[in-house]
Structure formats: C-alpha cells, structure tokens
Amino acid sequence: MSAPTPETATTSDAARASLEALRTEIAKAVVGQDPAVTGLVVALLCRGHVLLEGVPGVAKTLLVRALASALELDTKRVQFTPDLMPSDVTGSLVYDSRSAEFSFQPGPVFTNLLLADEINRTPPKTQASLLEAMEERQVTVDGTPRPLPDPFLVAATQNPVEYEGTYPLPEAQLDRFLLKLTVPLPSRADEISVLTRHADGFDPRDLQAAGVRPVAGPADLAAARSAVAKTSVSPEITGYVVDICRATRDSPSLTLGVSPRGATALLSTARAWAWLTGRDYVTPDDVKALALPTLRHRIQLRPEAEMEGVTADSVIHSILAHVPVPR
C-alpha cells in the first residue's frame, strides 16, 4: 500500500479531529454514554445501522438527537406502535385532485438519521418495511425505486425488560443491524450530574439552548469514510476475524452462530475503530474491542444454556479468550 500524501493525511486528521469533537459536544446533552456515542460514529463510518437496547429513561432518544445536531444532519423519529403501517414509514402515493395524478409523499425514512423508537412494538410487516431501506438504501413504491439521502442510518431502540405486546425482531432483520449497543443506567455520579443539569434549567427538547452546536458535517464524514477504506488489514487479522466467527458456529451453547455477513461486519467495525484511534492498520485489540457490539445480536442461545444463565456476551468473551491471537 502506498504511503498517504501530506494532503491526504491532513484531510484524514482533520476529519478524525472533527469526529472526536462529537464526544465533547454530545456530552453537553447526554451524560456518561461514551461507548454508545462511539458506536454510533463507527456505524456512520461503516454505513451501518444500530440497535440501541436499554430501559426507558436512559436518554436513547436524546442521544440520537444530539448526534444529529452535532453532525448537522437531518433526523426524524417514528414511534413504532402495533397499528403502524409500512406506508407510515416509507411514504405513499397521494392523489392530487388538481392535477388528477398520484404524487409520492415521502415518509420519515427519507432522512439522515431515523430514530425507530421501540421497533419491536410494531408487527413484522411494518418491521420488514425497513429492510429494503436498511440494505438497499432505497424505498420502492408502486414499482419505482427512490434513493434515500446519504448518509443514512437507522437507530432503532428496544426495551430489554418489557416483552408483553411486542414482536421480537426476526434473525434476518437483526442481522441487518451493524451494531447492538446496550445503553446502561448511569452511575451514581452521572445520575447526580443529570439531576443537577435539570435543576439548573436544562431542557432536553431544546438542544440549542443546551449549547449543542455542529462540529462536523457530511463532508467530514465522507473524508473519514475514505480514510477508513484505506486502513490496512493483514492476512493474519482477516484470519483472526474468521476464526472468531467460525468458533461461534461450533459453540455448544449456541443454536445459531455468526454468518459470513457478521464476519464482514466485524472486520469493517474494527477498521473504523482503528482509524478513530489514530492508526492506519488494524490490530487484534481492535477486533476484540468491537466483537461484543458487532456479534452479540447475531448469535442465538440454546434454551438450556439460557436456563443456566449463559448470555450472548459471556459466550463471545469465552470465544475471545480461547481463539489464538495472531502475533
């Protein structure tokens, strides 16, 4: 691989600095969720989508809105409910009586960041309406494909503790999400900070008043993606990723292991993380750092393993501990 020119290196460094500034900017609105912020940035770099899992009230919606404000991107929110129809997401043809013709009315999916709130509360038919958008980055209505804006990211949320009246996402749709990020309850110190901000007049509905300003834009994101694509991957790292994913298929605790699509996703996220941390090559530690969020939703536990308290994360931790690391 040829060495980067000074101009290319400068562009790459400037894009990295802009994206690193997102943490500081988002922290003006969201306290203590750095891993989730990093995951969302990695997903944007990889043109992927994110499943955010956490109990109500841990700022999942605020996190996505703050990211959109700091990146100067358009964002829309859809509250997924049992009566939501596919056309409520994608858009539909509307008859115009003046022109006596049908015209397409775009749905909320035509945005840069789509927040699909409580995605598992809507029936599979409506969940499936997102599949084409997520995979093909277009929406087909009445046989006409309509491209979505670039960048485009779906950030879907789901509640991990309340399953009554929900429709679990099928494996095919789970596999379309690049990352599954857990948004935990804050620590005591962080929760005190949240309450102090609210006591001082913080309004989560007014991010501008909170001081959240655009620190990066689509051009920075495009430059960053170009730099990530140039991040080198050795044959040893490729083999390491494959060995990890193949080990999930042989695990006695699992009925479903990671597919080749999952292996490709892990390689992509590791490259993005390597670039974000300032390197133009991938190390085994980069692969380990992204293995949990990239793979945890792509495996399926055996019922008996679940009864014994085994979790997806514990299986992946065990595999990482046993798969030989390249030197």
Side-chain angles (χ1 to χ4, degrees):
M1 180 176 291
S2 60
T5 64
E7 183 179 353
T8 303
T10 302
T11 303
S12 176
D13 291 342
R16 185 185 293 112
S18 297
L19 294 181
E20 286 174 350
L22 286 174
R23 293 172 184 263
T24 304
E25 207 62 24
I26 293 173
K28 294 177 181 178
V30 181
V31 177
Q33 297 293 359
D34 272 359
V37 173
T38 301
L40 285 165
V41 173
V42 166
L44 280 167
L45 290 175
C46 299
R47 299 178 186 270
H49 308 285
V50 173
L51 184 62
L52 295 167
E53 187 172 88
V55 299
V58 290
K60 299 186 293 295
T61 302
L62 181 60
L63 178 63
V64 175
R65 289 180 52 239
L67 175 68
S69 295
L71 266 176
E72 208 170 11
L73 297 175
D74 182 45
T75 182
K76 291 187 174 72
R77 175 179 177 271
V78 178
Q79 181 65 50
F80 279 69
T81 56
D83 60 348
L84 194 74
M85 299 297 292
S87 59
D88 295 329
V89 178
T90 60
S92 58
L93 294 175
V94 178
Y95 183 73
D96 186 343
S97 58
R98 290 173 296 183
S99 63
E101 293 180 349
F102 285 94
S103 61
F104 178 66
Q105 185 67 36
V109 75
F110 286 85
T111 186
N112 297 124
L113 266 68
L114 176 68
L115 178 62
D117 219 353
E118 295 188 291
I119 190 173
N120 58 336
R121 289 206 172 277
T122 200
K125 183 177 181 180
T126 305
Q127 290 176 8
S129 69
L130 276 178
L131 281 177
E132 182 187 16
M134 292 170 68
E135 189 67 21
E136 307 296 335
R137 300 183 183 275
Q138 66 177 25
V139 167
T140 301
V141 176
D142 196 33
T144 303
R146 293 174 170 84
L148 296 171
D150 185 39
F152 172 69
L153 179 145
V154 173
T157 72
Q158 66 178 15
N159 183 345
V161 296
E162 187 182 359
Y163 291 109
E164 188 174 345
T166 63
Y167 304 84
L169 293 174
E171 297 301 326
Q173 184 145 351
L174 278 173
D175 206 35
R176 295 304 198 282
F177 286 99
L178 181 73
L179 300 171
K180 179 182 178 181
L181 304 174
T182 56
V183 185
L185 288 165
S187 65
R188 183 176 186 274
D190 286 341
E191 196 163 359
I192 288 173
S193 178
V194 170
L195 267 63
T196 301
R197 291 186 182 195
H198 280 265
D200 292 339
F202 171 71
D203 182 358
R205 290 171 290 276
D206 190 352
L207 294 177
Q208 192 170 1
V212 179
R213 300 286 184 271
V215 294
D220 298 299
L221 198 54
R225 286 172 171 174
S226 177
V228 169
K230 295 182 177 70
T231 302
S232 63
V233 181
S234 69
E236 292 77 16
I237 293 296
T238 304
Y240 183 50
V241 170
V242 169
D243 289 343
I244 290 171
C245 295
R246 291 182 69 85
T248 65
R249 302 168 202 164
D250 298 328
S251 172
S253 299
L254 302 178
T255 59
L256 179 68
V258 177
S259 69
R261 189 210 305 268
T264 303
L266 181 54
L267 187 62
S268 297
T269 56
R271 289 178 88 182
W273 176 244
W275 179 81
L276 277 173
T277 52
R279 281 177 284 101
D280 60 358
Y281 59 92
V282 180
T283 69
D285 285 341
D286 298 323
V287 176
K288 289 181 178 180
L290 273 296
L292 279 180
T294 308
L295 304 182
R296 59 163 59 109
H297 57 298
R298 302 175 192 272
I299 60 178
Q300 196 171 77
L301 291 167
R302 292 187 182 277
E304 54 269 31
E306 283 190 273
M307 292 175 64
E308 293 171 2
V310 176
T311 65
D313 285 12
S314 66
V315 171
I316 295 170
H317 276 303
S318 176
I319 287 170
L320 292 176
H322 288 91
V323 172
V325 179
R327 301 297 178 190

